[in-house]
Amino acid sequence: MFTLDDAFARIGDAHPDLGLFGSQRSVLEAERDLAAQRPAWIAGAAVDNVFGSGAVSGVKGAEITLSLASVFERGGKLDARRAFAQSRIDALAVDRESRRLDLLAETARRYLGIVAAQRRIELAQFDIGQRKRTVAAARQRLVAGASPESGLLTAQAALARAELDRARSEQSLLAARQHLAALWGERDPGFAEVAGDPYALPKIEEATALAGLLDRSPELTRFVDARRIGEARVRLAQSQASADIDWQIGVRRLQDGGDTALIGSVSMPLGARSRAEPGIRGAQAELAVLETEREAKGLSLYSTLVEAHGRYRVGALEVARLKDEVLPRMSRAENAAEYAYRAGAISYLELALLQADSVAVRKQRLDTALDAQLALIEIQRLTGESFLAPPSAPAGAAP
């Protein structure tokens, strides 16, 4: 029997979005290594006084200078580049976890679609069973002359509609299976049925208690890493306020007399602080925007959590009340109505209405349970809690 854990395992092994983060990490690590490089050494050679006229015609008066140059970085630029590159790598893990939870939530929703289709087939089978009994009773009454032929024909039409509902649910099951398998790239699902009980609705904590878990959810945790990136960007911008020093040292051979002399030079651009100021202000402004965005995201997540929590609690209550109070009475009413119809105490219309109500109540319970399960999936996604496969339905469980 295929389970939700099996689906999660296939997502973790085969979904390209999760594998993509490995390649992205390799790219960021290469950028980190590039950022950690110090300024290059520059070796140079210069020739003066060649191909002139008179005393410096040709290369007789050539003077050759061999030099070595580089840049002395100031303001902690190297450390700032390293910190910025590493902060982007650290943030990638949170992005991957956020994407993983989104995929698990989508997998759970599609898996629930299969469970729903299976349960709707069971409901259709239940409806077909009661409609068949009604057709048999209508035929007996027609033979006995207790009811017209229209009663039998109407009962047969209701049976045909129930069979149509079953066929529709079977096609929905096939589509739901293919929809789930498409998540890990398979065209043939490779499984016929899945395990799961949509009516298994566990008790959950109050919304205020669950709200405490939001701070560790990837959707808010990423702001912590985004802040680290922003702070690293500010330090990188601030490091530009300290001008780098270009230096050069070398040896020159003087043609006259064949002597050699040491040469050197140092240069530094002016106005580095004023040129760096716009970049610093921009980086600081982005850091301030992050805090506002986090606050807004936190409010949005809390609002979504409260809404999902309310849907779940209301749904779980309705499912329990329908099971404990409505369905037992409905079942007794069905049995009594079938017996009364065979005895000629009620008309077919009364029986048909009761049977339709019975199926409608069962569909209401299933739809309510499915909506509660969707709300639970959303709560789990928001809080970052693990997704657990619901327990299998007991054998022979009533729809």
Side-chain angles (χ1 to χ4, degrees), residues 300-329:
S300 175
L301 290 180
Y302 180 72
S303 177
T304 304
L305 175 65
V306 170
E307 187 271 338
H309 186 274
R311 280 172 48 205
Y312 181 79
R313 281 289 182 86
V314 171
L317 177 62
E318 183 175 341
V319 168
R321 295 288 293 272
L322 287 173
K323 175 187 176 183
D324 297 336
E325 300 178 16
V326 179
L327 283 178
R329 294 180 175 87

Side-chain angles (χ1 to χ4, degrees), residues 157-346:
L159 173 60
R161 289 183 60 186
E163 291 173 341
L164 177 61
D165 286 342
R166 180 181 60 185
R168 184 187 300 112
S169 298
E170 288 172 347
Q171 288 300 314
S172 297
L173 175 60
L174 177 60
R177 288 168 52 216
Q178 292 174 334
H179 195 214
L180 175 62
L183 270 178
W184 51 81
E186 290 184 3
R187 297 187 178 183
D188 182 10
F191 56 87
E193 295 183 356
V194 301
D197 181 9
Y199 305 114
L201 301 172
K203 292 183 179 180
I204 61 174
E205 298 182 68
E206 296 295 332
T208 52
L210 292 175
L213 301 175
L214 289 177
D215 288 337
R216 68 185 190 189
S217 71
E219 293 193 55
L220 288 183
T221 304
R222 72 179 184 86
F223 282 99
V224 177
D225 290 295
R227 182 172 182 82
R228 292 195 187 102
I229 294 175
E231 291 172 346
R233 185 178 284 111
V234 169
R235 289 195 297 272
L236 188 59
Q238 289 172 339
S239 70
Q240 300 302 316
S242 300
D244 297 334
I245 298 176
D246 296 330
W247 60 268
Q248 178 177 320
I249 190 171
V251 177
R252 175 174 293 175
R253 180 184 180 279
L254 303 176
Q255 186 65 19
D256 294 339
D259 296 329
T260 58
L262 184 68
I263 64 169
S265 67
V266 175
S267 64
M268 183 177 68
L270 301 177
R273 181 171 296 277
S274 61
R275 287 194 303 272
E277 188 62 30
I280 296 174
R281 291 201 313 269
Q284 290 174 338
E286 289 182 0
L287 196 59
V289 167
L290 273 177
E291 192 61 32
T292 304
E293 288 181 345
R294 188 197 181 283
E295 184 178 354
K297 188 65 175 179
L299 290 175
S300 175
L301 290 180
Y302 180 72
S303 177
T304 304
L305 175 65
V306 170
E307 187 271 338
H309 186 274
R311 280 172 48 205
Y312 181 79
R313 281 289 182 86
V314 171
L317 177 62
E318 183 175 341
V319 168
R321 295 288 293 272
L322 287 173
K323 175 187 176 183
D324 297 336
E325 300 178 16
V326 179
L327 283 178
R329 294 180 175 87
M330 188 65 71
S331 296
R332 291 197 296 270
E334 291 167 11
N335 296 332
E338 286 188 17
Y339 179 80
Y341 178 69
R342 290 191 180 92
I346 62 173

Side-chain angles (χ1 to χ4, degrees), residues 119 122 393-399:
R119 287 304 177 123
E122 293 176 4

Side-chain angles (χ1 to χ4, degrees), residues 71-150:
V71 176
F72 177 69
E73 290 186 315
R74 300 173 64 236
K77 291 184 177 65
L78 178 61
D79 291 338
R81 288 198 305 271
R82 285 173 175 167
F84 179 67
Q86 186 61 48
S87 64
R88 294 177 64 196
I89 295 175
D90 295 339
L92 193 64
V94 177
D95 291 341
R96 185 186 187 281
E97 179 63 13
S98 178
R99 181 56 182 153
R100 187 184 73 88
L101 287 179
D102 287 343
L103 285 173
L104 292 182
E106 180 61 21
T107 302
R109 284 190 287 264
R110 296 190 186 189
Y111 186 93
L112 186 62
I114 299 177
V115 174
Q118 291 179 171
R119 287 304 177 123
R120 289 192 174 100
I121 291 175
E122 293 176 4
L123 279 176
Q125 285 293 123
F126 170 80
D127 196 18
I128 288 172
Q130 67 176 5
R131 298 296 180 180
K132 283 183 176 179
R133 293 193 299 271
T134 303
V135 168
R139 183 175 288 109
Q140 291 177 355
R141 292 192 60 176
L142 176 62
V143 171
S147 65
E149 186 180 8
S150 60

